[in-house]
């Protein structure tokens, strides 16, 4: 436990609090100088007519943070991170991208792969090299170029600062169970790194099946896009037998809340019981593969003001084993570590809470 995070008595059950989703605040101008050829020289030239001012697609939605200036801050330096962790009362942060959550919808495949490599280099230089034990990173890969992604994983698998592979899952096509992505899963399994799937409401306009037609406000998309998209990805991962093909691969689904998880598990089990030929590689109930190979992060905990709802949902999908705390800081709707804890205290044992708040993450991410 870090000295700055000597947890209050309410955290007596937890020796180490791991936050499994802290977003850094990279900007495009941070990333472009790290681009390798053929893009580096071309895209860093000064041009009178400018160039693409944003490689990452965004449909121009207005979030509450834009309307009310409610964002709690940024994470662009080790000092920013230390301040955030002191406020959140956490000991270790897994750093995930901010802008690059939209990478999966970038409309130039080779540039997307180049941006992933550039981001990883920027993250090392800016945060990971100096963060010490308080932070580890997720290695971002571009789903548009699976072979390039596999090469990026192979090249960096021995870098101790990276503890996971992230596929920015918003806007990708086809869905992530497709054989197109198998080189990524094979490389991640060989490297002993879990794969993170993290969507982004900002690219819902590019995403099947939630294209942003007819939605008038940010809330329409934000309520539905994360859980709906992750259900599609999870369904295709099971149907195409990814946990059978790669039995040593852990997959972590991030930032979709908790209530959809027991619903999905029971619905998929029910469908499988009536049509198992649609998932021919599965040798046991789909829920068993979810228990064995899939993990989930907690934010946003819907119903935080209703502890009974929260604890029931976590129980219904074996969350004391495969749920990990995440804050989603510095997004406007981040969860403080203490809020979820207070709900869990009403029902869960100290050991179970310790798993959710740190022990499971320590094992999954080899911290």
């Amino acid at each position: 436990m870090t000295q700055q995070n000597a947890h209050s008595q309410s955290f007596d059950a937890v020796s180490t609090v791991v936050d499994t989703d802290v977003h850094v605040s990279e900007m495009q101008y941070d990333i472009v100088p790290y681009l390798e050829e053929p893009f580096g020289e071309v895209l860093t030239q000064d041009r009178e007519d400018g160039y693409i001012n944003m490689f990452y697609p965004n449909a121009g939605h207005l979030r509450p943070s834009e309307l009310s200036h409610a964002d709690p801050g940024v994470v662009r330096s080790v000092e920013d991170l230390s301040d955030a962790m002191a406020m959140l009362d956490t000991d270790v942060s897994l750093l995930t991208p901010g802008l690059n959550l939209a990478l999966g919808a970038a409309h130039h495949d080779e540039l997307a792969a180049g941006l992933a490599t550039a981001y990883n280099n920027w993250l090392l230089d800016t945060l990971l090299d100096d963060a010490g034990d308080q932070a580890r990173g997720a290695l971002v890969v571009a789903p548009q170029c699976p072979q390039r992604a596999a090469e990026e994983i192979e090249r960096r698998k021995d870098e101790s600062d990276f503890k996971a592979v992230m596929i920015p899952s918003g806007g990708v096509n086809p869905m992530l169970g497709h054989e197109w992505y198998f080189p990524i899963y094979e490389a991640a399994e060989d490297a002993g790194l879990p794969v993170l799937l993290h969507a982004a409401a900002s690219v819902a306009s590019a995403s099947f099946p939630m294209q942003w037609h007819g939605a008038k406000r940010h809330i329409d998309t934000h309520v539905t896009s994360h859980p709906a998209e992750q259900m599609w990805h999870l369904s295709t991962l099971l149907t195409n037998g990814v946990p059978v093909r790669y039995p040593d691969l852990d997959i972590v689904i991030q930032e979709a809340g908790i209530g959809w998880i027991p619903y999905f598990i029971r619905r998929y089990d029910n469908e499988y019981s009536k049509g198992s030929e649609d998932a021919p590689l599965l040798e046991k109930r789909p829920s068993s593969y979810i228990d064995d190979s899939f993990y989930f992060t907690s934010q946003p905990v819907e119903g935080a003001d209703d502890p009974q709802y929260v604890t029931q949902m976590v129980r219904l999908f074996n969350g004391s084993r495969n749920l990990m705390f995440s804050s989603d800081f510095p997004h406007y709707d981040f969860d403080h570590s203490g809020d979820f804890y207070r709900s869990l205290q009403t029902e869960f044992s100290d050991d179970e809470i310790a798993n959710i708040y740190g022990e499971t993450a320590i094992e999954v991410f080899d911290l």
Side-chain angles (χ1 to χ4, degrees), residues 41 124 128 138 203 210 226 254-255 312 336:
E41 183 177 352
L124 282 169
L128 293 179
V203 293
M210 298 91 53
H226 283 273
Q254 295 185 294
E255 201 178 308
Q312 285 178 340
H336 190 280

Side-chain angles (χ1 to χ4, degrees), residues 235-291:
S235 182
T236 63
L237 287 162
L238 291 168
T239 302
N240 291 309
V242 169
V244 179
R245 298 174 189 271
Y246 308 103
D248 296 326
L249 178 66
D250 291 331
I251 298 176
V252 181
I253 294 178
Q254 295 185 294
E255 201 178 308
I258 58 175
W260 67 274
I261 303 169
Y263 163 78
F264 174 90
I265 291 171
R266 282 153 181 78
R267 184 168 177 83
Y268 199 105
D269 270 358
N270 181 60
E271 291 289 331
Y272 180 78
S273 70
K274 301 170 183 176
S276 60
E277 64 276 4
D278 269 357
L281 289 184
L282 300 189
E283 300 166 345
K284 54 187 178 181
R285 287 167 63 90
S287 54
S288 297
Y289 291 102
I290 294 175
D291 279 348

Side-chain angles (χ1 to χ4, degrees), residues 50-287:
Y51 196 69
I52 302 173
N53 64 352
M54 182 56 69
F55 303 131
Y56 303 87
N58 189 317
H61 64 176
L62 284 176
R63 303 176 303 167
S65 53
E66 275 87 35
L67 294 172
S68 64
H69 307 290
D71 267 340
V74 298
V75 178
R76 292 182 53 78
S77 68
V78 173
E79 292 74 20
D80 292 338
L81 177 62
S82 295
D83 290 345
M85 291 175 64
M87 183 273 292
L88 293 165
D89 204 10
T90 57
D91 298 307
V92 183
S93 294
L94 182 68
L95 301 183
T96 55
L99 178 64
N100 277 278
L101 291 176
L103 183 68
H107 197 59
H108 190 298
D109 292 357
E110 290 76 14
L111 175 58
L115 289 167
T117 297
Y119 165 81
N120 295 329
N121 287 329
W122 173 85
L123 184 66
L124 282 169
D125 284 354
T126 305
L127 282 154
L128 293 179
D129 283 348
D130 298 319
D133 292 337
Q134 68 178 334
R136 293 292 184 265
L139 181 73
V140 170
V141 298
Q144 296 94 325
C145 293
Q147 195 55 51
R148 287 277 301 275
E151 292 167 4
E152 179 80 350
I153 296 167
E154 172 65 24
R155 183 166 57 250
R156 298 184 188 268
K157 66 181 181 181
D158 295 325
E159 291 189 16
S160 60
D161 283 330
F162 288 115
K163 291 297 186 180
V165 174
M166 170 174 275
I167 302 176
S169 58
V172 302
N173 187 11
M175 307 307 281
L176 289 172
H178 195 278
E179 55 265 27
W180 170 260
Y181 306 105
F182 286 179
I184 300 176
Y185 304 139
E186 181 177 356
E189 184 184 51
D190 288 345
L193 295 173
V195 169
L196 312 181
L197 308 183
H198 197 308
S202 61
V203 293
S205 57
S207 302
F208 179 82
M210 298 91 53
Q211 290 180 341
W212 206 339
H213 301 309
K216 293 180 63 177
R217 298 288 187 270
H218 167 71
I219 194 171
D220 296 329
T221 306
H222 203 239
V223 167
T224 57
S225 62
H226 283 273
E229 188 157 349
Q230 299 293 23
M231 281 193 278
W232 268 83
H233 289 315
L234 181 52
S235 182
T236 63
L237 287 162
L238 291 168
T239 302
N240 291 309
V242 169
V244 179
R245 298 174 189 271
Y246 308 103
D248 296 326
L249 178 66
D250 291 331
I251 298 176
V252 181
I253 294 178
Q254 295 185 294
E255 201 178 308
I258 58 175
W260 67 274
I261 303 169
Y263 163 78
F264 174 90
I265 291 171
R266 282 153 181 78
R267 184 168 177 83
Y268 199 105
D269 270 358
N270 181 60
E271 291 289 331
Y272 180 78
S273 70
K274 301 170 183 176
S276 60
E277 64 276 4
D278 269 357
L281 289 184
L282 300 189
E283 300 166 345
K284 54 187 178 181
R285 287 167 63 90
S287 54

Side-chain angles (χ1 to χ4, degrees), residues 26 100-102 131 243 299 313 351 361:
E26 79 276 18
N100 277 278
L101 291 176
Q299 199 277 340
M313 290 301 105
D351 286 345

Side-chain angles (χ1 to χ4, degrees), residues 261-263 265-266 311-319 348:
I261 303 169
Y263 163 78
I265 291 171
R266 282 153 181 78
T311 56
Q312 285 178 340
M313 290 301 105
V314 176
R315 281 285 185 223
L316 284 171
F317 68 91
N318 197 22
F348 287 81

